[in-house]
Amino acid sequence: MRRQLRVSEAIRHQFATILRDYSWRHNLLQNAHISIMQVKISADLKNATLIILPLNANHYTTEARDALMQALKQETPMLKKELALSKVVRFVPNLKFIWDDSYDISGRIEQLIQQNQQQHDTK
């Protein structure tokens, strides 16, 4: 478990650098300013799930969000190459990107709580 945590943090830190410095071929990714919120890596270190959130994510429509995720998927081979060149990990895992929707969920929960309070205040 410690090894997984150490490797996932190393990947997260390296991807922060890669995403900042990489000259993107895909136009959508050039100004996205993507943050890696968390990296979950499998026990065998062969698969890594990167949970991402771009700057101003709340302004993304569903279509823009899907387009950004598709662009990341298309760039995955080059990102794996960049990770390999950094020599942060001995073996480069398969990469999967997931949008961090925890802020959307927490915002929705907050909205429901406020609606509930308003209903109780009017009674």
Side-chain angles (χ1 to χ4, degrees), residues 5 20 24 38 66 70 73 82 84 96:
L5 182 60
R20 183 189 67 226
W24 296 98
Q38 184 179 8
D66 293 343
Q70 184 62 34
K73 188 175 182 180
E82 290 293 317
K96 179 181 177 184

Tab-separated table of all heavy atoms in Angstrom, residues 5 20 24 38 66 70 73 82 84 96:
chain	number	residue	atom	x	y	z
A	5	LEU	N	0.950	4.286	-2.893
A	5	LEU	CA	0.806	5.701	-2.555
A	5	LEU	C	2.001	6.507	-3.059
A	5	LEU	O	1.838	7.584	-3.638
A	5	LEU	CB	0.654	5.867	-1.039
A	5	LEU	CG	0.442	7.282	-0.542
A	5	LEU	CD1	-0.819	7.887	-1.143
A	5	LEU	CD2	0.365	7.303	0.961
A	20	ARG	N	1.648	21.178	-17.499
A	20	ARG	CA	1.997	22.599	-17.545
A	20	ARG	C	2.931	22.900	-18.722
A	20	ARG	O	2.768	23.892	-19.420
A	20	ARG	CB	2.656	23.016	-16.238
A	20	ARG	CG	2.975	24.508	-16.171
A	20	ARG	CD	3.813	24.864	-14.972
A	20	ARG	NE	5.136	24.266	-15.130
A	20	ARG	CZ	5.777	23.602	-14.163
A	20	ARG	NH1	5.235	23.458	-12.983
A	20	ARG	NH2	6.969	23.088	-14.379
A	24	TRP	N	0.835	21.071	-26.469
A	24	TRP	CA	-0.276	20.230	-26.901
A	24	TRP	C	-0.489	20.305	-28.396
A	24	TRP	O	-0.437	21.370	-28.984
A	24	TRP	CB	-1.562	20.662	-26.187
A	24	TRP	CG	-1.485	20.450	-24.728
A	24	TRP	CD1	-1.183	21.383	-23.783
A	24	TRP	CD2	-1.677	19.229	-24.030
A	24	TRP	NE1	-1.191	20.818	-22.544
A	24	TRP	CE2	-1.499	19.493	-22.668
A	24	TRP	CE3	-1.989	17.939	-24.438
A	24	TRP	CZ2	-1.613	18.506	-21.709
A	24	TRP	CZ3	-2.112	16.962	-23.477
A	24	TRP	CH2	-1.925	17.252	-22.128
A	38	GLN	N	-6.132	13.604	-8.095
A	38	GLN	CA	-5.742	12.369	-7.428
A	38	GLN	C	-5.318	11.362	-8.487
A	38	GLN	O	-5.790	11.399	-9.620
A	38	GLN	CB	-6.925	11.821	-6.630
A	38	GLN	CG	-6.627	10.588	-5.824
A	38	GLN	CD	-7.845	10.119	-5.046
A	38	GLN	OE1	-8.956	10.620	-5.215
A	38	GLN	NE2	-7.645	9.162	-4.181
A	66	ASP	N	-17.018	16.548	-22.384
A	66	ASP	CA	-16.785	15.333	-23.168
A	66	ASP	C	-15.683	15.534	-24.199
A	66	ASP	O	-14.860	14.641	-24.418
A	66	ASP	CB	-18.073	14.884	-23.863
A	66	ASP	CG	-19.138	14.406	-22.886
A	66	ASP	OD1	-18.798	14.111	-21.715
A	66	ASP	OD2	-20.316	14.330	-23.293
A	70	GLN	N	-12.167	13.517	-24.391
A	70	GLN	CA	-11.788	12.833	-25.634
A	70	GLN	C	-10.407	13.296	-26.090
A	70	GLN	O	-9.593	12.499	-26.552
A	70	GLN	CB	-12.835	13.090	-26.727
A	70	GLN	CG	-12.580	12.351	-28.014
A	70	GLN	CD	-12.602	10.836	-27.843
A	70	GLN	OE1	-13.341	10.292	-27.041
A	70	GLN	NE2	-11.760	10.158	-28.589
A	73	LYS	N	-7.859	11.605	-24.026
A	73	LYS	CA	-7.755	10.206	-24.457
A	73	LYS	C	-6.889	10.098	-25.715
A	73	LYS	O	-6.057	9.195	-25.816
A	73	LYS	CB	-9.161	9.648	-24.717
A	73	LYS	CG	-9.194	8.179	-24.981
A	73	LYS	CD	-10.626	7.690	-25.115
A	73	LYS	CE	-10.671	6.197	-25.333
A	73	LYS	NZ	-12.049	5.709	-25.467
A	82	GLU	N	5.882	10.914	-22.397
A	82	GLU	CA	6.477	11.948	-21.545
A	82	GLU	C	6.750	11.418	-20.134
A	82	GLU	O	7.777	11.723	-19.538
A	82	GLU	CB	5.571	13.178	-21.481
A	82	GLU	CG	5.496	13.957	-22.762
A	82	GLU	CD	6.812	14.632	-23.114
A	82	GLU	OE1	7.452	15.200	-22.208
A	82	GLU	OE2	7.189	14.591	-24.298
A	84	ALA	N	7.332	8.302	-19.365
A	84	ALA	CA	8.461	7.372	-19.489
A	84	ALA	C	9.784	8.125	-19.555
A	84	ALA	O	10.768	7.728	-18.921
A	84	ALA	CB	8.286	6.494	-20.727
A	96	LYS	N	-5.857	6.243	-17.485
A	96	LYS	CA	-7.277	6.505	-17.697
A	96	LYS	C	-7.581	7.821	-16.992
A	96	LYS	O	-7.182	8.021	-15.844
A	96	LYS	CB	-8.115	5.375	-17.101
A	96	LYS	CG	-9.601	5.574	-17.243
A	96	LYS	CD	-10.349	4.414	-16.615
A	96	LYS	CE	-11.834	4.636	-16.690
A	96	LYS	NZ	-12.568	3.563	-15.997
